Amino acid sequence: MKVFTQSVNFNADKELIAYVDEKVLSLTKFHDKIVDAEVFLKVINTSDKENKVTEVKINIPGSELIIKREAKTFEEGVNAAVDNLKRQLKRSKEKLRGSVNS
């Protein structure tokens, strides 16, 4: 699986990009047909502490899963998005199994 990471309104350092790649690549354990993933890291200029937006889009054959999370840090946002995507990928895979068996 290929992971494309884009940072909007700032330059992401190598450690953050590596962290995002590692977390998103771990999703392959939950669904073996993931084509690729796109991650958008955005900083919103507001007075809120939760001004970091993480958006993860996973492409699987037949559909795409998109999760958007706001958090204090990108790491928190990535973790929340990946946890949510794990559940969605498991559900998607179960649906595939169900349609194959019927």
Side-chain angles (χ1 to χ4, degrees), residues 21-80:
D21 287 354
E22 177 188 331
K23 286 292 186 179
V24 173
L25 285 169
S26 72
L27 292 171
T28 56
K29 292 182 228 163
F30 300 95
H31 200 294
D32 51 356
K33 292 193 170 41
I34 298 174
V35 179
D36 62 13
E38 294 175 51
V39 181
F40 298 95
L41 305 173
K42 300 174 190 166
V43 177
I44 298 172
N45 296 327
T46 63
S47 57
D48 287 347
K49 285 185 177 157
E50 295 196 354
N51 69 338
K52 313 273 189 310
V53 176
T54 306
E55 193 173 322
V56 183
K57 184 168 107 180
I58 301 284
N59 293 309
I60 53 178
S63 72
E64 59 184 28
L65 307 172
I66 301 172
I67 295 291
K68 192 174 190 176
R69 289 286 175 263
E70 287 184 31
K72 290 179 190 159
T73 66
F74 286 117
E75 289 82 359
E76 278 180 38
V78 168
N79 288 340

Side-chain angles (χ1 to χ4, degrees), residues 31 33 61 91-101:
H31 200 294
K33 292 193 170 41
R91 209 175 309 134
S92 161
K93 200 168 182 177
E94 284 167 14
K95 277 185 190 170
L96 276 176
R97 276 201 200 114
S99 64
V100 170
N101 292 339

